[in-house]
Amino acid sequence: MLWPFLGPAFTAATVAGTIEPLRNLEITVSPWRDTEHARGAACLLLARSGAITKP
């Protein structure tokens, strides 16, 4: 709902602060859903506990 107001400034800041190879990066914004928040929190917890490691 707020993206029409926030989008232009977000896009300008992203372009100004991104290195050249990533300048054409496409940003997708979707509505907030609790499942993504829960998944992110679970991943942080698992990573912190050592259950998830980088290859």
Side-chain angles (χ1 to χ4, degrees):
M1 179 176 0
L2 293 175
W3 190 248
F5 305 102
L6 300 174
F10 182 85
T11 302
T14 303
V15 168
T18 305
I19 59 174
E20 184 62 37
L22 299 177
R23 289 261 162 92
N24 294 324
L25 185 67
E26 183 177 324
I27 298 170
T28 304
V29 178
S30 60
W32 179 269
R33 292 186 300 236
D34 287 339
T35 54
E36 281 82 3
H37 184 75
R39 186 177 299 128
C43 286
L44 289 173
L45 179 65
L46 290 170
R48 174 89 178 185
S49 72
I52 296 176
T53 58
K54 292 182 181 179

